[in-house]
Amino acid sequence: MEKNILNKSIDRSWIDNKWNKPLIISGPCSAESEEQILETADRLKNSYVQIFRAGIWKPRTKPNNFEGIGKKGLSWLKKVKKDTGLMVATEIANAEHVRLSISFGIDVLWIGARSTASPFTIQEIAEALEGENDKIVLVKNPIHPDLDLWIGSLERLFVKGIRKLGVIHRGFYTYKSSKYRNQPNWNMLLNLRSMLPRIPIICDPSHICGNKKELLDIAKKAYYIFKCEGLMIESHCSPDQAWSDAAQQITPENLIKMIKELKLNSCDQKDARDLDSLRILIDELDENIITLLAERMNIAKKLGSLKKSSKIAVFQPKRWDNIMEKSLKLGSSFGLSDELLKGIFKILHEESIKIQNNIK
Ligand code: PEP
Ligand code: MN
């Protein structure tokens, strides 16, 4: 589909006309009981929060975990809407979820990361939404960093007449060890924005961090540096007792405190913001380089043991020439100089030899 048609047709009225920025979506990971939902909503109302969220059907990685309270939770959300005037949001993952959510007057439907990864699921949801032109539909990034798949989901919804669209950056699965539960990918977010400049972008620091400690830092980066228009942050009346995602949920009071702090911290100078955003991208890449270096040295250790037990010399000149030749060729295809690559690989090789020689 022509990106321009999708971009031009996005109906931004739901985020532009109504709310202060950043738009704040908050509420528990999962609806657990009527009391928990009503109490959390009561403690969030009259604050910065504009949309109350709660998961009714939970996509869990492994079976035999709490998989959501199901349909009865929808009536609790309906009550929140009536009692507090907040809009309400839940996650939908199939046609039945769509049908039930509509029948209970849920205002905002979000599609979870695991669902965005499946075109069949998105197609089913899009077909079930046909004619529901007033619904706000927010599409989380797929679990893995595939921008086309993410945009493809928006296109499937668009074809069925859904225009009040938005996306949620909730981070990406990574096989590397990371301080985040789901690695943010700001670079991809910037690419998404350059393709669809009008799409409202919300950030979900809770699922990026997986803990409470880093939430504010990610929220600041998202809002001030990368210009996300909204934040979705999980909150729970008793976070430590939460049935899902307990480690990352905060109390409504701490959520309100966090937003206050976020709002104090403005950064108006465009140059400073641009500088910061480039530095964050560099930091992200440096972290990747260090993680990869550690993995490379771990393999060098295994190689050392194997060479020792097979009585093979540590230094293999032919193999080394081969590595160098391949790396220079690959590097030059990306515009990297031979000098840089020779320097880096010499250091890497020396370290690897040292590690292998030290194997007892
Ligand atoms: C959630 O928002 O609770 C959720 C399950 O999110 P995600 O799809 O990002 O894992
Ligand atoms: Mn959650």
Side-chain angles (χ1 to χ4, degrees):
M1 179 186 290
E2 176 70 61
K3 299 272 179 303
N4 214 10
I5 298 177
L6 171 60
N7 183 56
K8 270 206 226 141
S9 315
I10 292 166
D11 178 354
R12 291 185 44 93
S13 62
W14 68 271
I15 192 160
D16 282 341
N17 299 350
K18 223 172 138 82
W19 287 309
N20 295 328
K21 304 274 174 67
L23 165 72
I24 305 291
I25 306 173
S26 190
C29 179
S30 303
E32 298 160 7
S33 69
E34 182 164 4
E35 298 69 45
Q36 169 244 11
I37 286 295
L38 297 183
E39 185 183 336
T40 308
D42 190 60
R43 285 159 60 183
L44 288 172
K45 73 174 184 204
N46 306 327
S47 69
Y48 303 98
V49 175
Q50 294 130 325
I51 301 176
F52 182 80
R53 65 150 278 159
I56 300 291
W57 301 281
K58 301 302 297 178
R60 304 308 295 269
T61 303
K62 290 186 188 266
N64 305 323
N65 282 316
F66 172 59
E67 299 207 313
I69 207 76
K71 183 177 161 187
K72 65 180 168 196
L74 293 172
S75 59
W76 309 337
L77 286 179
K78 193 171 171 181
K79 195 154 190 314
V80 166
K81 184 170 160 172
K82 183 164 160 280
D83 292 356
T84 64
L86 292 169
M87 275 189 155
V88 289
T90 200
E91 173 172 348
I92 42 136
N94 61 36
E96 179 69 355
H97 298 167
V98 172
R99 193 183 63 73
L100 286 168
S101 299
I102 290 169
S103 73
F104 280 84
I106 307 300
D107 308 285
V108 180
L109 307 173
W110 84 79
I111 298 175
R114 294 158 193 80
S115 302
T116 311
S118 161
F120 289 132
T121 298
I122 297 295
Q123 190 59 29
E124 178 180 332
I125 293 172
E127 281 167 20
L129 276 167
E130 186 153 21
E132 296 297 330
N133 301 357
D134 230 38
K135 289 290 169 217
I136 299 168
V137 182
L138 307 178
V139 183
K140 287 198 169 196
N141 62 255
I143 291 275
H144 54 294
D146 183 338
L147 187 51
D148 281 339
L149 198 56
W150 199 0
I151 294 179
S153 303
L154 296 168
E155 290 174 354
R156 287 178 197 273
L157 293 161
F158 173 81
V159 166
K160 297 296 172 191
I162 305 303
R163 298 286 183 273
K164 295 186 178 170
L165 289 164
V167 295
I168 305 178
H169 172 39
R170 53 76 80 194
F172 297 86
Y173 170 79
T174 166
Y175 71 94
K176 299 180 299 181
S177 61
S178 162
K179 70 172 172 179
Y180 299 112
R181 178 179 177 194
N182 292 292
Q183 189 76 30
N185 190 331
W186 304 113
N187 214 351
M188 181 181 281
L189 212 59
L190 297 180
N191 287 339
L192 173 70
R193 182 176 290 136
S194 74
M195 289 185 202
L196 299 176
R198 298 183 67 251
I199 192 84
I201 302 181
I202 310 236
C203 180
D204 170 351
S206 301
H207 291 90
I208 289 179
C209 298
N211 64 49
K212 311 174 208 276
K213 211 171 71 245
E214 311 278 341
L215 290 176
L216 180 60
D217 181 55
I218 290 290
K220 280 184 187 165
K221 282 180 182 156
Y223 183 54
Y224 289 112
I225 312 287
F226 295 104
K227 301 280 134 205
C228 293
E229 296 180 73
L231 298 167
M232 184 193 247
I233 302 179
E234 288 182 344
S235 61
H236 189 294
C237 55
S238 315
D240 296 340
Q241 266 81 57
W243 298 0
S244 59
D245 288 354
Q248 71 198 30
Q249 299 199 65
I250 54 177
T251 61
E253 293 69 30
N254 282 339
L255 185 271
I256 294 164
K257 222 165 79 189
M258 183 181 294
I259 305 301
K260 245 186 215 148
E261 210 173 314
L262 175 84
K263 289 195 171 238
L264 281 178
N265 193 289
S266 75
C267 167
D268 295 327
Q269 274 178 297
K270 186 169 178 310
D271 286 351
R273 274 199 325 257
D274 290 348
L275 197 68
D276 280 348
S277 75
L278 293 176
R279 284 183 171 151
I280 291 168
L281 297 181
I282 291 263
D283 288 351
E284 233 173 63
L285 292 173
D286 284 349
E287 206 181 300
N288 285 339
I289 292 172
I290 290 170
T291 318
L292 289 174
L293 280 178
E295 277 176 32
R296 195 185 196 284
M297 294 312 160
N298 269 335
I299 294 182
K301 261 185 227 158
K302 289 185 191 156
L303 202 59
S305 304
L306 199 62
K307 282 178 183 167
K308 196 172 178 78
S309 63
S310 326
K311 299 195 177 4
I312 297 173
V314 165
F315 180 45
Q316 299 283 327
K318 247 205 193 130
R319 165 78 178 143
W320 169 238
D321 289 345
N322 188 262
I323 289 181
M324 198 53 121
E325 192 189 326
K326 266 196 308 197
S327 305
L328 293 185
K329 198 165 153 209
L330 180 65
S332 80
S333 75
F334 291 114
L336 297 173
S337 75
D338 283 6
E339 195 189 351
L340 172 72
L341 289 164
K342 276 183 186 158
I344 289 176
F345 273 88
K346 184 166 175 285
I347 294 172
L348 280 182
H349 189 235
E350 280 168 6
E351 181 68 16
S352 178
I353 296 283
K354 198 162 93 195
I355 287 174
Q356 295 181 50
N357 277 329
N358 281 343
I359 303 279
K360 295 279 175 290

